[in-house]
Amino acid sequence: MNTRHRAMRGMQVLANAALVTAFVVFTVQAAKADDAAKILKAMTDYTAAQKSISATFDSDIEVVTPELEKIQFTSSGKMQLTRPDKLRISRTGGYADVQLVYDGKTISIYGNNAKAYVQVDLAGTIDQLVDLIQAKSGAAMPGTDLLLSNAYDELMSNVILAQHIGQGVVDGVECEHLAFRGVDTDWQIWIESGTRPVPRKYVITSKTVAGAPQYTLRIKDWKTDAVADADTFVFKPPSGVTKVDLDSGVMAEFDEIPPGTPAGAKK
């Protein structure tokens, strides 16, 4: 065999090896994506099937200053839900003390710091409520998409790559760690392992904002068998507060970050 033939044979061997490697990588990535989708689907099916849910949470939202310094704002809160049409969320942080109450007919959002509240008639479901909040309100909270009855479809709608990273531990609970890539945002979620696949941690990374700020949500004290009493979903305005329009500029004061602060990571 002459030198030219040996060189050509060597190149063919390398090409075949590259094809095998690419196939193995593709197969592994496809398996990770399929695994991630199955775990996420199990979570969304489980949470959507729960008639009553209560949990507490801590959230961190990052903003990036013009000098590219990252500043983080932290809040804590509680969520109570009774499907299909009852929801209460409270959140307290350094710049906002907010309550959202929905009784199936009216949504009420109260900002204690602003001493103002909004009320909108909305006969419907929690899904319709979340759509309205995300479209209209400056008080929209990332993570509300986890509450939707069609959460899987919403979460996967812009995903271009999915991976099951492996296991992790959040607040002492063993979880499955999933990562998803989108065009504008990447996000990760840690889902409790075992027979109760509830979300424990949710991280959103905004790729279209300089510095790629993140929003982090840690969910604790999950209960799926606690029935809320009737008054839980009734809003009673405190004395001395003002009712404002949904599109009012006052709504900016209901947000997790101070008005005028550069945008953070929101999904």
Side-chain angles (χ1 to χ4, degrees):
M1 182 182 295
N2 60 34
T3 302
R4 180 170 177 271
H5 286 165
R6 284 198 298 270
M8 291 180 65
R9 185 174 180 181
M11 292 174 64
Q12 185 63 48
V13 170
L14 289 174
N16 289 340
L19 286 172
V20 171
T21 301
F23 176 76
V24 170
V25 170
F26 174 80
T27 302
V28 171
Q29 289 180 338
K32 286 185 175 181
D34 188 52
D35 204 19
K38 286 180 179 178
I39 294 170
L40 184 69
K41 186 68 163 61
M43 183 211 81
T44 56
D45 286 351
Y46 179 85
T47 55
Q50 305 308 309
K51 182 174 177 55
S52 297
I53 296 175
S54 68
T56 61
F57 62 86
D58 298 316
S59 64
D60 302 312
I61 186 168
E62 292 181 342
V63 299
V64 181
T65 70
E67 295 77 25
L68 298 182
E69 179 183 10
K70 283 190 177 181
I71 305 295
Q72 193 173 83
F73 298 91
T74 300
S75 300
S76 294
K78 182 176 182 179
M79 180 272 294
Q80 294 168 278
L81 171 154
T82 298
R83 297 191 188 278
D85 59 359
K86 304 287 190 299
L87 179 66
R88 186 182 192 99
I89 301 175
S90 60
R91 187 187 75 245
T92 304
Y95 298 91
D97 182 357
V98 179
Q99 293 182 32
L100 180 151
V101 183
Y102 182 55
D103 62 5
K105 297 179 180 179
T106 304
I107 170 178
S108 304
I109 304 175
Y110 168 62
N112 186 47
N113 292 352
K115 300 302 179 187
Y117 70 97
V118 169
Q119 278 191 325
V120 177
D121 291 333
L122 180 68
T125 64
I126 292 171
D127 289 6
Q128 292 169 313
L129 167 67
V130 171
D131 287 343
L132 177 67
I133 295 173
Q134 292 177 338
K136 293 281 190 179
S137 172
M141 291 174 285
T144 51
D145 43 2
L146 300 176
L147 304 177
L148 298 173
S149 60
N150 64 336
Y152 180 81
D153 293 335
E154 289 293 323
L155 290 167
M156 293 293 288
S157 62
N158 295 310
V159 168
I160 57 178
L161 178 65
Q163 295 185 76
H164 180 196
I165 302 299
Q167 280 67 47
V169 176
V170 179
D171 295 321
V173 178
E174 185 175 334
C175 298
E176 304 299 327
H177 179 194
L178 314 179
F180 299 85
R181 301 216 72 187
V183 176
D184 298 326
T185 59
D186 294 339
W187 53 282
Q188 301 173 71
I189 191 165
W190 285 255
I191 297 171
E192 183 172 328
S193 303
T195 59
R196 195 178 72 147
V198 296
R200 288 286 181 172
K201 182 179 177 182
Y202 186 39
V203 176
I204 303 163
T205 303
S206 178
K207 299 189 291 186
T208 59
V209 178
Q214 292 185 324
Y215 181 92
T216 301
L217 182 68
R218 287 178 178 266
I219 311 172
K220 304 175 292 183
D221 304 319
W222 270 97
K223 294 182 177 63
T224 55
D225 55 359
V227 179
D229 60 59
D231 289 339
T232 298
F233 306 107
V234 176
F235 176 70
K236 298 176 181 178
S239 60
V241 302
T242 304
K243 184 176 181 180
V244 297
D245 187 76
L246 182 63
D247 297 321
S248 169
V250 174
M251 289 295 291
E253 298 184 41
F254 293 8
D255 208 352
E256 292 177 88
I257 58 178
T261 305
K266 296 191 177 183
K267 187 171 187 289

